[in-house]
Amino acid sequence: MATRYGSLKQLDGFGPNGETIIDYSVHDAFRAGFGKVVFVIRKSMEEAFKAAMRRRFPDDLPIAYVAQEPEMVPAGFTVPENRVKPWGTGHAVWVAASQLHEPFAVINGDDFYGYQSFKLVADFLKSSTEAAAYGLVGFKLENTLSEHGAVSRGLCALDENGYLKSVTELTHIARTADGIAVQDPGTEARFLEGDALVSMNLMAFKPSVFPHFEREFKAFLTRNSSNPTAEFYLPAVVDQMVKSGAARVKVLQTPERWFGVTYPEDKAVAVRNIRRLLREGVYPDNMWQTLSSH
């Protein structure tokens, strides 16, 4: 919805030919071995989004579109009359179930993850044989901050074998003069280490995960049926699966530096980063030629 950004940032141009951040994510995902794209979007932006994507991607690229609307809830549940936004990132995965019959990754449309991050996820899904084993890409916290305001991140705790013990959504993380602090309104600031691992919602799942989403979404709605602003966060589903012993989640530590566009001022930084990557030869001038020959 781009509440803080002020416009439809998923379609904003950042590359030299107007490439969106989604373009770079799709390019990286296909290089890494993924073979299909499912976009979860609001109906109100469907026409503009489809038109933009048709102009960008090769005709032979399999693309599906899934609507995410507030009224899309399991049978037996009602939606508060004053609910205007969908239910969050966990809801986005839940509504996409009908289009996902193979191992898949989840990403945010406005986050730049880098090729190595997608390669970690693809390699994990190719090699993983355990039905209830999933993956989560962990970024160093200091590589994921905006210089222009607070951000939300999923703080990860790992066991000695690199599996997730918990992931906690923290919604007000910012760099301060004294270090990296998290400070929810009305609370005291506490400081976090720069090398702490955080989730940016790049996760690796299999279709076996959907019963967990269904169960957790129903539990969430039971608790929040009358709350018009409650968010069903993707990390909360993963956290509950891990803590209940229903799944194991391997944390895949990426060397990439994240960048994204939470605030309008973030755009200039994103543009500079993409120019640098083009100079370094990380991306070709014509990405679509590369995709077509995949």
Side-chain angles (χ1 to χ4, degrees):
M1 294 294 288
T3 309
R4 290 175 288 191
Y5 191 65
S7 63
L8 198 57
K9 57 186 172 180
Q10 293 88 346
L11 299 183
D12 205 353
F14 296 86
N17 305 302
E19 292 90 347
T20 66
I21 287 181
I22 289 173
D23 293 337
Y24 291 99
S25 291
V26 170
H27 179 269
D28 288 341
F30 270 70
R31 273 186 66 205
F34 288 92
K36 171 183 168 184
V37 183
V38 178
F39 289 115
V40 183
I41 56 176
R42 295 297 303 270
K43 287 175 184 172
S44 60
M45 63 186 275
E46 183 174 3
E47 195 173 316
F49 195 90
K50 283 185 174 180
M53 293 302 116
R54 271 196 298 270
R55 288 198 303 270
R56 296 178 179 287
F57 297 145
D59 293 337
D60 58 353
L61 171 60
I63 297 177
Y65 297 90
V66 174
Q68 183 191 11
E69 299 297 329
E71 65 270 18
M72 294 177 174
V73 295
F77 288 90
T78 58
V79 179
E81 285 184 15
N82 52 348
R83 180 84 196 189
V84 294
K85 291 173 62 176
W87 295 93
T89 48
H91 183 227
V93 177
W94 181 81
V95 300
S98 63
Q99 294 291 337
L100 295 167
H101 311 291
E102 55 277 296
F104 63 97
V106 176
I107 68 169
N108 295 331
D110 54 358
D111 286 325
F112 187 101
Y113 297 100
Y115 169 71
Q116 292 299 331
S117 303
F118 285 96
K119 185 76 164 58
L120 282 169
V121 169
D123 289 349
F124 169 81
L125 288 172
K126 286 173 188 171
S127 63
S128 175
T129 57
E130 194 179 328
Y134 310 121
L136 176 156
V137 173
F139 285 78
K140 285 188 176 180
L141 174 60
E142 62 189 2
N143 289 345
T144 73
L145 301 175
S146 168
E147 298 303 321
H148 304 292
V151 296
S152 298
R153 301 289 181 255
L155 184 65
C156 300
L158 281 60
D159 69 15
E160 62 275 10
N161 297 313
Y163 283 88
L164 191 69
K165 289 199 299 184
S166 67
V167 54
T168 306
E169 187 82 1
L170 302 176
T171 55
H172 293 82
I173 302 176
R175 203 185 296 276
T176 73
D178 299 316
I180 301 169
V182 56
Q183 185 170 19
D184 291 323
T187 66
E188 277 191 35
R190 66 183 177 95
F191 291 91
L192 303 170
E193 296 295 329
D195 60 357
L197 289 179
V198 295
S199 166
M200 299 296 302
N201 282 355
L202 173 47
M203 301 187 187
F205 294 123
K206 302 159 191 172
S208 58
V209 81
F210 288 117
H212 300 295
F213 275 87
E214 175 87 4
R215 184 181 63 249
E216 293 304 318
F217 190 34
K218 287 179 176 178
F220 168 86
L221 290 171
T222 299
R223 295 191 303 270
N224 296 281
S225 59
S226 60
N227 186 338
T229 60
E231 294 263 358
F232 181 52
Y233 290 119
L234 173 57
V237 182
V238 175
D239 185 66
Q240 185 57 36
M241 285 193 301
V242 168
K243 287 179 177 174
S244 68
R248 296 202 310 152
V249 176
K250 182 71 172 178
V251 178
L252 312 166
Q253 298 189 36
T254 180
E256 297 279 7
R257 289 187 72 92
W258 166 94
F259 60 88
V261 282
T262 304
Y263 300 93
E265 297 85 356
D266 292 328
K267 180 171 181 175
V269 179
V271 169
R272 282 201 305 273
N273 280 326
I274 287 171
R275 282 180 185 157
R276 174 179 54 79
L277 292 167
L278 286 164
R279 284 197 308 271
E280 293 171 357
V282 176
Y283 295 101
D285 291 332
N286 186 344
M287 292 199 300
W288 314 129
Q289 201 169 21
T290 307
L291 274 175
S292 299
S293 61
H294 177 83

